[in-house]
Amino acid sequence: MPSERPHPREPRRVRPVPGGPVLVDGPVEVQLPDGTTVVSDRFQVALCACRRSRNYPFCDASHRRRR
């Protein structure tokens, strides 16, 4: 059965933060490399760009603790 998703009327805003996460206007559905899908209905979502987050694919500010 094909997935039915609403077509957004406006494009999503995506803002990479230098040295930090990628901010995406929500809600979002993220498909991971293993095929699983995670959903967030928040108005803005921070996606981890450094892969240090314990809550990957969502950012938990682990990028601030650089070693």
Side-chain angles (χ1 to χ4, degrees):
M1 181 181 285
S3 173
E4 293 184 32
R5 295 183 204 160
H7 295 285
R9 295 178 189 213
E10 296 181 23
R12 297 271 183 218
R13 184 177 309 214
V14 177
R15 293 177 302 276
V17 176
V22 176
L23 301 177
V24 181
D25 287 351
V28 297
E29 177 180 293
V30 180
Q31 185 173 13
L32 301 175
D34 66 2
T36 60
T37 302
V38 292
V39 177
S40 175
D41 60 354
R42 297 181 59 132
F43 70 94
Q44 187 175 72
V45 179
L47 297 177
C48 179
C50 69
R51 299 190 67 92
R52 293 182 188 134
S53 175
R54 290 185 183 180
N55 195 26
Y56 187 82
F58 303 110
C59 180
D60 67 0
S62 291
H63 59 273
R64 294 180 186 161
R65 296 185 301 270
R66 294 186 183 177
R67 294 182 184 179

